[in-house]
Amino acid sequence: MLYTFAHRTYRLPLNPPLRTAHGRWDWREGIIVRLEDEAGWVGYGEAAPVPGHGTETWAEVDQLCRAFGDRVSAEELARVPGRFGCLRFALALAQARPEPALPIGRLGVAALLPAGRGALPALAARLEAGYLAFKWKVGVAPVEEELGVFDDLLAELPAHARLRLDANGAWNRRQAGRWLDRCAGRPVEFVEQPLVPDDEDGLRGLAGDYPVCLALDESVVRLEEARRWQAQGWPGVFVLKPALAGPLEETARWIESTRADVVLSSALETVLARSAILRWALARQLTRRPLGFGVGGVFGARRWDGPEIGPLADSSCLANDPGKELWTALD
Ligand code: MG
């Protein structure tokens, strides 16, 4: 199969900017690819690398796309190296043909709370909106300060609600131990990436030493990394950002065949990648855990963000064929 190939770059302000343990993130850069097959069928995909998250960079994606030229074969596309998880996701999406429509189910959504004391008013607003699962970014301020806010958050949390903590690898082993001691017996669904991905012994040690469920995120950016941790007996959750992991079909097949305990999470992609991921997740019920897509409007523009996602994701969250609109907007 030979395709006509083209790609376009988007660079959009994150509105509002995101504060994590990696610092402040103001701009989102990604690439939309367009593939047209010999029968004239056109498909679009999105590569949305995350700086500092272990993915390939925007510049690397751009370079490979330029190397394809304007004609590319399916064999060439299949030869993109495994570490290009974002580009492989994009190309598979652009090559995919519409499947017979599966019934779209529903899944809960976890709302993202801002780092620091700002989490408190945000929690009140999200509770009001009907959310029951929350994710709070920690590891941004000193431990003692954040533990104080943590206690205040739990005091506001209704009995049936759960809190996820995401340290983005910011703690050392001693700090992680203090946090996990404090989390024991509290309504904490899991603690995400307490240590840097390189400290694999430390991560396994914490999982064995504390009764709190742990989740890997930065450790399992690409599906092959999740496979390795799973083979080594990781007892906790895998937070997968499907837009970074590789082709959706491969990710879905791994989840279904191994029954991995996953959270499917946003990588702050546009409506193009997001709709494709949610369609798969909702139709195939790939997880029982609330989706990590409660990030609100990422770009503050409906064209790029797509339909609003509330506390319960269903077919109303899916955009119909958003690729063409974004492609045209980038002309
Ligand atoms: Mg995370």
Side-chain angles (χ1 to χ4, degrees):
M1 175 70 80
L2 203 59
Y3 294 96
T4 305
F5 176 81
H7 74 290
R8 288 177 180 168
T9 292
Y10 64 82
R11 185 168 192 271
L12 302 164
L14 288 180
N15 192 9
L18 190 69
R19 244 176 82 212
T20 75
H22 301 306
R24 213 177 111 118
W25 193 17
D26 288 285
W27 289 85
R28 186 80 177 96
E29 259 179 328
I31 284 179
I32 309 277
V33 299
R34 180 187 185 277
L35 287 173
E36 181 173 348
D37 71 15
E38 288 153 314
W41 202 92
V42 177
Y44 299 91
E46 173 179 359
V50 177
H53 201 80
T55 68
E56 73 266 40
T57 64
W58 169 86
E60 288 174 314
V61 174
D62 183 60
Q63 195 180 13
L64 264 195
C65 287
R66 284 174 196 277
F68 288 149
D70 55 6
R71 302 283 278 169
V72 66
S73 67
E75 293 70 37
E76 279 176 87
L77 296 178
R79 279 201 298 269
V80 173
R83 73 175 191 89
F84 283 77
C86 303
L87 181 57
R88 293 178 66 237
F89 170 89
L91 296 172
L93 189 57
Q95 287 174 281
R97 295 293 173 265
E99 293 184 58
L102 290 167
I104 301 294
R106 296 198 280 183
L107 283 170
V109 175
L112 182 65
L113 303 176
R117 199 152 271 284
L120 284 158
L123 174 67
R126 305 294 188 280
L127 278 169
E128 184 85 359
Y131 287 92
L132 293 173
F134 303 92
K135 172 157 150 174
W136 184 40
K137 293 278 183 186
V138 289
V140 178
V143 171
E144 204 50 51
E145 189 180 324
E146 287 184 343
L147 282 172
V149 182
F150 176 61
D151 288 337
D152 293 345
L153 278 171
L154 291 185
E156 299 300 320
L157 207 65
H160 44 285
R162 290 288 175 274
L163 186 63
R164 301 170 173 178
L165 301 177
D166 186 0
N168 289 114
W171 297 331
N172 58 36
R173 292 186 187 186
R174 194 182 51 81
Q175 292 168 323
R178 279 187 69 194
W179 266 100
L180 294 175
D181 269 332
R182 189 74 81 96
C183 289
R186 319 293 290 274
V188 172
E189 185 186 354
F190 55 75
V191 176
E192 188 173 322
Q193 202 70 47
L195 306 174
V196 288
D198 285 346
D199 192 1
E200 298 194 358
D201 289 341
L203 287 162
R204 287 192 198 92
L206 291 176
D209 289 348
Y210 293 89
V212 182
C213 180
L214 298 185
L216 300 175
D217 177 8
E218 283 88 341
S219 292
V220 293
V221 174
R222 277 173 295 276
L223 184 60
E224 65 201 41
E225 292 157 338
R227 283 187 207 277
R228 180 172 66 80
W229 277 91
Q230 188 188 50
Q232 292 167 351
W234 175 249
V237 171
F238 300 91
V239 176
L240 291 181
K241 297 179 165 69
L244 314 182
L248 258 182
E249 170 73 44
E250 283 177 24
T251 301
R253 234 185 299 132
W254 175 71
I255 296 169
E256 286 171 337
S257 63
T258 69
R259 298 177 185 273
D261 187 358
V262 299
V263 169
L264 299 176
S265 198
S266 162
L268 304 185
E269 56 279 298
T270 77
V271 58
L272 172 54
R274 170 186 289 192
S275 267
I277 295 164
L278 290 177
R279 191 177 294 280
W280 277 70
L282 295 173
R284 293 169 71 159
Q285 294 288 302
L286 291 175
T287 175
R288 290 168 292 108
R289 295 186 183 269
L291 298 166
F293 279 83
V295 292
V298 173
F299 307 108
R302 184 48 52 88
R303 166 183 278 165
W304 297 96
D305 285 330
E308 213 169 290
I309 299 176
L312 201 60
D314 60 17
S315 59
S316 70
C317 301
L318 306 179
N320 224 343
D321 200 13
K324 187 168 184 196
E325 190 189 336
L326 298 194
W327 183 260
T328 311
L330 291 171
D331 192 6

